[in-house]
Amino acid sequence: MKHKFHVALAILILLTSQLSGFTQESTSFNLLKDDVESVLPPLGALIDSAIIHNPYVKFRDNQIILNQAKLRVSQGQWVKNIGLQSDVRYGTFNNFNNYTLTAGQTPDIYSSLTTQLNYGVGAFIRIPFDEFVTRKHQIKSAKTEVEQATNMADVQRNELRQIVIKQYNELILSQRLLKIQSKYLEVSRFNMEVADKDFHSGVLTVNDYSRISELSTNAEAQFQTIKIEFNTAYLILEEIVGMKFNLSNSIKN
Protein backbone atom coordinates (compact mmCIF):
# COMPACT_ATOMS: atom_id res chain seq x y z
CA MET A 1 0.00 0.00 0.00
CA LYS A 2 2.97 2.36 0.57
CA HIS A 3 3.93 1.83 -3.08
CA LYS A 4 0.41 2.77 -4.21
CA PHE A 5 0.53 5.85 -1.99
CA HIS A 6 3.81 7.04 -3.48
CA VAL A 7 2.52 6.45 -7.02
CA ALA A 8 -0.68 8.37 -6.28
CA LEU A 9 1.32 11.21 -4.73
CA ALA A 10 3.62 11.40 -7.76
CA ILE A 11 0.63 11.48 -10.12
CA LEU A 12 -1.02 14.19 -8.03
CA ILE A 13 2.13 16.35 -8.12
CA LEU A 14 2.39 15.86 -11.90
CA LEU A 15 -1.26 16.76 -12.40
CA THR A 16 -0.86 19.86 -10.22
CA SER A 17 2.07 21.09 -12.29
CA GLN A 18 0.21 20.41 -15.53
CA LEU A 19 -2.88 22.21 -14.25
CA SER A 20 -0.79 25.22 -13.19
CA GLY A 21 0.65 25.58 -16.66
CA PHE A 22 -2.75 25.01 -18.23
CA THR A 23 -4.38 27.76 -16.14
CA GLN A 24 -1.83 30.29 -17.30
CA GLU A 25 -2.37 29.44 -20.97
CA SER A 26 -6.16 29.21 -20.80
CA THR A 27 -6.65 33.00 -20.43
CA SER A 28 -5.97 33.49 -24.17
CA PHE A 29 -8.20 30.64 -25.29
CA ASN A 30 -10.74 31.47 -28.00
CA LEU A 31 -13.52 28.92 -28.12
CA LEU A 32 -14.46 29.61 -31.74
CA LYS A 33 -10.90 29.55 -33.09
CA ASP A 34 -8.73 27.34 -30.86
CA ASP A 35 -9.13 23.61 -30.29
CA VAL A 36 -10.10 22.74 -26.74
CA GLU A 37 -8.08 19.51 -26.81
CA SER A 38 -4.91 21.54 -27.40
CA VAL A 39 -5.28 23.41 -24.12
CA LEU A 40 -6.70 20.66 -21.91
CA PRO A 41 -4.32 18.37 -19.99
CA PRO A 42 -3.58 15.07 -21.79
CA LEU A 43 -6.33 12.47 -21.68
CA GLY A 44 -4.15 10.13 -19.62
CA ALA A 45 -3.63 12.85 -17.01
CA LEU A 46 -7.38 13.48 -16.87
CA ILE A 47 -8.03 9.77 -16.31
CA ASP A 48 -5.41 9.58 -13.53
CA SER A 49 -6.88 12.65 -11.85
CA ALA A 50 -10.39 11.18 -12.03
CA ILE A 51 -9.17 7.94 -10.42
CA ILE A 52 -7.44 9.84 -7.60
CA HIS A 53 -10.47 12.00 -6.80
CA ASN A 54 -13.26 9.48 -7.37
CA PRO A 55 -14.94 8.47 -4.05
CA TYR A 56 -16.10 5.10 -5.41
CA VAL A 57 -12.53 4.13 -6.29
CA LYS A 58 -11.42 5.15 -2.79
CA PHE A 59 -14.23 3.03 -1.33
CA ARG A 60 -13.12 -0.02 -3.36
CA ASP A 61 -9.49 0.46 -2.32
CA ASN A 62 -10.50 0.72 1.34
CA GLN A 63 -12.52 -2.47 0.91
CA ILE A 64 -9.35 -4.23 -0.29
CA ILE A 65 -7.45 -3.03 2.80
CA LEU A 66 -10.27 -4.22 5.07
CA ASN A 67 -10.42 -7.67 3.46
CA GLN A 68 -6.64 -8.02 3.58
CA ALA A 69 -6.79 -7.30 7.32
CA LYS A 70 -9.48 -10.00 7.70
CA LEU A 71 -7.24 -12.43 5.82
CA ARG A 72 -4.31 -11.73 8.15
CA VAL A 73 -6.56 -12.30 11.15
CA SER A 74 -7.75 -15.63 9.71
CA GLN A 75 -4.20 -16.73 8.96
CA GLY A 76 -3.06 -15.84 12.48
CA GLN A 77 -5.88 -17.54 14.36
CA TRP A 78 -3.71 -20.57 15.19
CA VAL A 79 -1.39 -18.41 17.33
CA LYS A 80 -3.99 -18.08 20.05
CA ASN A 81 -3.75 -21.86 20.65
CA ILE A 82 -0.04 -21.68 21.50
CA GLY A 83 1.36 -19.79 24.47
CA LEU A 84 2.89 -19.69 27.92
CA GLN A 85 1.01 -20.17 31.17
CA SER A 86 2.26 -19.03 34.56
CA ASP A 87 1.02 -19.44 38.10
CA VAL A 88 2.16 -17.31 41.03
CA ARG A 89 1.00 -17.83 44.63
CA TYR A 90 2.14 -16.16 47.83
CA GLY A 91 0.99 -17.15 51.29
CA THR A 92 1.34 -19.58 54.20
CA PHE A 93 1.61 -23.20 53.11
CA ASN A 94 1.50 -26.44 55.15
CA ASN A 95 4.54 -28.46 54.01
CA PHE A 96 4.98 -32.17 54.80
CA ASN A 97 8.43 -33.78 55.05
CA ASN A 98 9.46 -37.46 55.52
CA TYR A 99 12.39 -38.00 57.85
CA THR A 100 14.02 -41.41 58.51
CA LEU A 101 16.92 -41.86 60.99
CA THR A 102 17.69 -45.56 60.38
CA ALA A 103 17.09 -47.78 57.40
CA GLY A 104 14.08 -50.03 57.84
CA GLN A 105 12.34 -47.75 60.27
CA THR A 106 9.01 -46.18 59.56
CA PRO A 107 9.65 -42.58 58.47
CA ASP A 108 8.42 -39.80 60.62
CA ILE A 109 6.20 -37.25 58.92
CA TYR A 110 6.69 -33.66 59.97
CA SER A 111 4.36 -30.80 59.09
CA SER A 112 5.42 -27.17 59.10
CA LEU A 113 3.79 -23.87 58.22
CA THR A 114 5.88 -21.70 55.92
CA THR A 115 5.24 -18.32 54.36
CA GLN A 116 6.63 -18.41 50.83
CA LEU A 117 6.22 -17.50 47.18
CA ASN A 118 5.39 -20.34 44.78
CA TYR A 119 5.45 -19.90 40.98
CA GLY A 120 5.47 -22.02 37.88
CA VAL A 121 5.78 -21.45 34.12
CA GLY A 122 4.85 -23.81 31.31
CA ALA A 123 3.96 -23.85 27.60
CA PHE A 124 0.66 -25.06 26.19
CA ILE A 125 -0.73 -26.07 22.82
CA ARG A 126 -4.46 -26.35 22.23
CA ILE A 127 -5.87 -27.92 19.07
CA PRO A 128 -9.63 -27.34 18.99
CA PHE A 129 -11.09 -29.82 16.53
CA ASP A 130 -13.63 -27.37 15.09
CA GLU A 131 -10.95 -24.76 14.31
CA PHE A 132 -8.71 -27.42 12.78
CA VAL A 133 -11.53 -28.36 10.40
CA THR A 134 -12.81 -24.86 9.54
CA ARG A 135 -9.53 -22.88 9.45
CA LYS A 136 -8.73 -23.86 5.86
CA HIS A 137 -12.18 -22.81 4.70
CA GLN A 138 -11.97 -19.52 6.61
CA ILE A 139 -8.65 -18.62 4.98
CA LYS A 140 -9.95 -19.59 1.53
CA SER A 141 -13.05 -17.45 2.08
CA ALA A 142 -10.94 -14.48 3.22
CA LYS A 143 -8.68 -14.79 0.15
CA THR A 144 -11.76 -14.88 -2.08
CA GLU A 145 -13.05 -11.68 -0.48
CA VAL A 146 -9.71 -9.97 -1.15
CA GLU A 147 -9.78 -11.13 -4.77
CA GLN A 148 -13.38 -9.98 -5.21
CA ALA A 149 -12.60 -6.56 -3.75
CA THR A 150 -9.56 -6.24 -6.04
CA ASN A 151 -11.64 -7.17 -9.08
CA MET A 152 -14.35 -4.69 -8.12
CA ALA A 153 -11.71 -1.94 -7.77
CA ASP A 154 -10.40 -2.79 -11.24
CA VAL A 155 -13.93 -2.71 -12.65
CA GLN A 156 -14.52 0.68 -11.02
CA ARG A 157 -11.34 2.05 -12.57
CA ASN A 158 -12.20 0.68 -16.02
CA GLU A 159 -15.68 2.18 -15.87
CA LEU A 160 -14.25 5.52 -14.79
CA ARG A 161 -11.75 5.47 -17.66
CA GLN A 162 -14.59 4.92 -20.12
CA ILE A 163 -16.60 7.76 -18.57
CA VAL A 164 -13.68 10.19 -18.83
CA ILE A 165 -12.94 9.17 -22.44
CA LYS A 166 -16.59 9.56 -23.41
CA GLN A 167 -16.96 12.93 -21.69
CA TYR A 168 -13.66 14.18 -23.13
CA ASN A 169 -14.73 13.30 -26.68
CA GLU A 170 -18.19 14.72 -26.09
CA LEU A 171 -16.58 18.02 -25.10
CA ILE A 172 -14.42 18.03 -28.24
CA LEU A 173 -17.38 17.15 -30.46
CA SER A 174 -19.59 19.87 -29.00
CA GLN A 175 -16.90 22.47 -29.63
CA ARG A 176 -16.46 21.35 -33.25
CA LEU A 177 -20.21 21.50 -33.79
CA LEU A 178 -20.22 24.92 -32.19
CA LYS A 179 -17.58 26.15 -34.66
CA ILE A 180 -19.61 24.82 -37.59
CA GLN A 181 -22.80 26.37 -36.25
CA SER A 182 -20.98 29.64 -35.66
CA LYS A 183 -20.03 29.86 -39.35
CA TYR A 184 -23.57 29.00 -40.36
CA LEU A 185 -24.84 31.66 -37.97
CA GLU A 186 -22.61 34.30 -39.59
CA VAL A 187 -23.98 33.40 -43.01
CA SER A 188 -27.53 33.44 -41.66
CA ARG A 189 -27.04 36.87 -40.11
CA PHE A 190 -25.59 38.22 -43.33
CA ASN A 191 -28.52 36.84 -45.31
CA MET A 192 -30.89 38.41 -42.81
CA GLU A 193 -29.25 41.83 -43.26
CA VAL A 194 -29.55 41.55 -47.04
CA ALA A 195 -33.16 40.37 -46.71
CA ASP A 196 -34.02 43.38 -44.52
CA LYS A 197 -32.68 45.77 -47.15
CA ASP A 198 -34.36 43.95 -50.03
CA PHE A 199 -37.66 43.71 -48.16
CA HIS A 200 -37.76 47.40 -47.31
CA SER A 201 -36.81 48.28 -50.91
CA GLY A 202 -39.60 46.06 -52.21
CA VAL A 203 -37.31 43.55 -53.94
CA LEU A 204 -38.13 40.68 -51.55
CA THR A 205 -41.60 39.26 -51.03
CA VAL A 206 -43.14 38.68 -47.61
CA ASN A 207 -42.97 34.89 -47.99
CA ASP A 208 -39.30 34.94 -48.90
CA TYR A 209 -38.54 37.35 -46.07
CA SER A 210 -40.40 35.13 -43.58
CA ARG A 211 -38.49 32.05 -44.77
CA ILE A 212 -35.09 33.77 -44.39
CA SER A 213 -36.12 35.15 -41.00
CA GLU A 214 -37.13 31.68 -39.82
CA LEU A 215 -33.81 30.22 -40.97
CA SER A 216 -31.95 32.96 -39.11
CA THR A 217 -33.96 32.37 -35.94
CA ASN A 218 -33.35 28.63 -36.10
CA ALA A 219 -29.61 29.23 -36.59
CA GLU A 220 -29.53 31.44 -33.49
CA ALA A 221 -31.45 28.88 -31.44
CA GLN A 222 -29.24 26.00 -32.62
CA PHE A 223 -26.10 27.97 -31.81
CA GLN A 224 -27.29 28.67 -28.25
CA THR A 225 -28.30 25.02 -27.81
CA ILE A 226 -24.87 23.74 -28.84
CA LYS A 227 -23.20 26.40 -26.69
CA ILE A 228 -25.10 25.15 -23.64
CA GLU A 229 -24.22 21.55 -24.53
CA PHE A 230 -20.55 22.52 -24.68
CA ASN A 231 -20.69 24.29 -21.31
CA THR A 232 -22.48 21.29 -19.79
CA ALA A 233 -19.91 18.84 -21.14
CA TYR A 234 -17.15 21.15 -19.93
CA LEU A 235 -18.49 21.40 -16.37
CA ILE A 236 -19.20 17.68 -16.14
CA LEU A 237 -15.64 16.87 -17.22
CA GLU A 238 -14.33 19.21 -14.52
CA GLU A 239 -16.42 17.40 -11.91
CA ILE A 240 -15.36 13.94 -13.05
CA VAL A 241 -11.62 14.63 -13.09
CA GLY A 242 -11.59 16.92 -10.04
CA MET A 243 -9.93 19.80 -11.94
CA LYS A 244 -10.84 23.38 -12.75
CA PHE A 245 -9.71 24.32 -16.26
CA ASN A 246 -10.63 28.03 -15.94
CA LEU A 247 -11.42 28.56 -19.63
CA SER A 248 -12.71 32.03 -20.40
CA ASN A 249 -15.39 30.68 -22.78
CA SER A 250 -15.70 34.13 -24.40
CA ILE A 251 -17.86 33.79 -27.52
CA LYS A 252 -18.46 36.79 -29.76
CA ASN A 253 -21.92 36.31 -31.22
Side-chain angles (χ1 to χ4, degrees):
M1 293 307 299
K2 289 183 178 179
H3 175 69
K4 291 184 178 180
F5 172 77
H6 292 314
V7 171
L9 181 60
I11 293 175
L12 185 59
I13 293 174
L14 176 62
L15 293 176
T16 303
S17 63
Q18 290 176 336
L19 181 58
S20 176
F22 166 77
T23 304
Q24 295 175 357
E25 296 175 359
S26 63
T27 55
S28 60
F29 175 72
N30 189 318
L31 185 58
L32 296 180
K33 295 181 179 180
D34 302 324
D35 294 329
V36 67
E37 62 264 38
S38 65
V39 295
L40 288 178
L43 179 58
L46 294 177
I47 293 174
D48 291 337
S49 179
I51 291 175
I52 290 175
H53 293 92
N54 187 266
Y56 294 105
V57 172
K58 293 178 181 178
F59 171 78
R60 297 299 181 187
D61 289 340
N62 289 335
Q63 192 65 44
I64 294 175
I65 296 174
L66 177 61
N67 290 340
Q68 287 175 338
K70 290 181 179 180
L71 175 59
R72 288 192 294 269
V73 171
S74 298
Q75 292 174 331
Q77 281 294 324
W78 63 273
V79 178
K80 70 179 183 180
N81 296 320
I82 300 176
L84 295 176
Q85 183 174 344
S86 62
D87 180 69
V88 179
R89 296 181 182 181
Y90 177 81
T92 302
F93 299 90
N94 193 359
N95 298 318
F96 295 90
N97 296 312
N98 295 331
Y99 183 72
T100 304
L101 295 177
T102 306
Q105 291 183 345
T106 302
D108 296 326
I109 299 176
Y110 297 92
S111 175
S112 61
L113 296 176
T114 306
T115 301
Q116 61 187 39
L117 175 67
N118 293 338
Y119 62 90
V121 178
F124 69 87
I125 299 177
R126 292 194 298 263
I127 307 179
F129 181 75
D130 58 337
E131 290 189 12
F132 181 78
V133 174
T134 61
R135 181 174 178 273
K136 182 178 180 180
H137 298 289
Q138 290 175 346
I139 294 176
K140 184 178 180 180
S141 177
K143 287 182 178 179
T144 301
E145 290 181 354
V146 171
E147 184 178 354
Q148 288 177 342
T150 303
N151 291 337
M152 289 300 297
D154 291 339
V155 169
Q156 190 68 52
R157 282 176 167 80
N158 290 336
E159 291 180 351
L160 188 57
R161 289 188 187 97
Q162 296 175 24
I163 292 174
V164 174
I165 292 172
K166 181 179 179 181
Q167 194 63 37
Y168 177 81
N169 289 326
E170 185 172 338
L171 179 64
I172 294 173
L173 176 61
S174 62
Q175 191 209 13
R176 291 178 181 177
L177 293 176
L178 191 63
K179 288 181 179 181
I180 295 172
Q181 187 63 28
S182 175
K183 293 179 180 180
Y184 179 73
L185 181 59
E186 291 179 2
V187 174
S188 177
R189 286 174 176 174
F190 176 78
N191 290 337
M192 192 63 204
E193 291 177 2
V194 174
D196 280 334
K197 293 178 181 179
D198 291 344
F199 179 73
H200 287 94
S201 62
V203 176
L204 196 66
T205 64
V206 174
N207 290 336
D208 290 337
Y209 180 79
S210 298
R211 180 178 57 83
I212 296 174
S213 178
E214 182 180 1
L215 291 175
S216 179
T217 302
N218 291 338
E220 292 279 359
Q222 186 65 17
F223 180 83
Q224 294 300 326
T225 299
I226 299 176
K227 179 183 175 182
I228 292 175
E229 290 175 353
F230 172 84
N231 289 333
T232 302
Y234 169 79
L235 294 174
I236 291 176
L237 184 62
E238 278 190 335
E239 289 295 322
I240 293 174
V241 303
M243 284 184 177
K244 295 297 180 182
F245 304 131
N246 299 321
L247 293 178
S248 59
N249 289 338
S250 58
I251 303 177
K252 296 180 180 179
N253 295 340

